[in-house]
């Protein structure tokens, strides 16, 4: 299970991948198609939540219909994947992942990005060998990460939840960690404002290096 049994579960979008500008660009491109006003990064971070239809409810004042959601989701992903290829890893991410692996600790990657698109992108960034497992979303894009976290940990044979820390950029990452009995550290460089993350009640950090250091203290 790795040195001292400590295991990190990393989030991808907004955590290891520095893609928040691509997300905002894709969101506003999709909004333009749908007749919605553009959104600033600050407003996005204040309002964003998972499941994503709830985010649209905060913007529109009501939940989108199934037909509206299908249109919104399709438009966003079409614009996002056009931009994703140009995104880079978050500063220091590659070095942190390499150092942790070389020190004998284990780590894995769990994302709500579609598995078929996630794995090739992780591979192109040259970090796939750093993880004992890489899991993206298979199926509906409306649910949060909790159920996926259960399946992810079940596949990590010999990794008890009490020795796991989830590092992500969203309140949903902390909810998924709590759902399985793991700990969480949240990073401010992605989808949520610091105030939104602080309200969750888990440690909040401004760099991935700090996230790893805090994770080490938690377990």
């Amino acid at each position: 299970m790795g040195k001292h049994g400590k295991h990190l579960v990393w989030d991808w979008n907004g955590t290891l991948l520095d893609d928040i500008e691509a997300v905002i660009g894709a969101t506003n491109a999709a909004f333009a198609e749908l007749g919605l006003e553009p959104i600033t990064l600050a407003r996005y971070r204040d309002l964003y939540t998972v499941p994503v239809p709830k985010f649209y409810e905060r913007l529109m004042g009501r939940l989108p219909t199934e037909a509206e959601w299908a249109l919104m989701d399709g438009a966003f992903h079409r614009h996002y994947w056009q931009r994703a290829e140009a995104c880079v890893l978050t500063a220091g991410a590659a070095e942190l992942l390499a150092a942790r692996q070389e020190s004998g600790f284990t780590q894995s990657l769990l994302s709500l990005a579609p598995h078929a698109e996630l794995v090739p992108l992780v591979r192109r960034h040259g970090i796939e060998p750093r993880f004992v497992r890489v899991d993206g979303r298979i199926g509906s894009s409306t649910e949060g990460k909790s159920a996926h976290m259960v399946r992810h940990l079940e596949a990590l044979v010999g990794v008890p939840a009490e020795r796991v820390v989830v590092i992500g950029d969203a309140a949903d990452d902390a909810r998924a960690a709590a759902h399985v009995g793991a700990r969480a550290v949240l990073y401010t460089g992605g989808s949520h404002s610091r105030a939104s993350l602080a309200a969750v009640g888990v440690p909040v950090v401004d760099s991935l290096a700090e996230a790893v250091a805090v994770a080490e203290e938690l377990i």
Side-chain angles (χ1 to χ4, degrees), residues 14-54:
T15 303
L16 290 175
L17 186 68
D18 183 11
D19 68 345
I20 190 61
E21 293 299 332
V23 168
I24 295 299
T27 298
N28 282 330
F31 280 7
E33 290 187 18
L34 300 165
L36 297 174
E37 292 295 317
I39 190 170
T40 64
L41 173 58
R43 181 163 169 77
Y44 180 95
R45 283 176 162 161
D46 282 339
L47 295 181
Y48 183 75
T49 190
V50 175
V52 179
K54 287 286 188 180

Side-chain angles (χ1 to χ4, degrees), residues 143-156:
E143 66 178 86
K145 191 176 277 187
S146 293
H148 298 286
M149 186 68 71
V150 172
R151 292 189 288 270
H152 186 70
L153 290 194
E154 286 175 347
L156 294 172

Side-chain angles (χ1 to χ4, degrees), residues 124-204:
R124 281 197 292 278
H125 282 286
I127 58 173
E128 186 185 22
R130 306 302 183 195
F131 305 109
V132 296
R133 187 174 183 87
V134 175
D135 284 328
R137 173 178 52 78
I138 297 173
S140 172
S141 63
T142 60
E143 66 178 86
K145 191 176 277 187
S146 293
H148 298 286
M149 186 68 71
V150 172
R151 292 189 288 270
H152 186 70
L153 290 194
E154 286 175 347
L156 294 172
V157 179
V159 181
E162 62 269 19
R163 302 298 293 172
V164 169
V165 179
V166 177
I167 297 178
D169 70 312
D172 188 55
D173 292 302
R175 287 193 292 267
H179 183 70
V180 297
R183 306 289 188 89
V185 179
L186 298 179
Y187 164 61
T188 60
S191 60
H192 284 31
S193 66
R194 172 174 271 279
S196 297
L197 295 179
V200 177
V202 302
V204 177

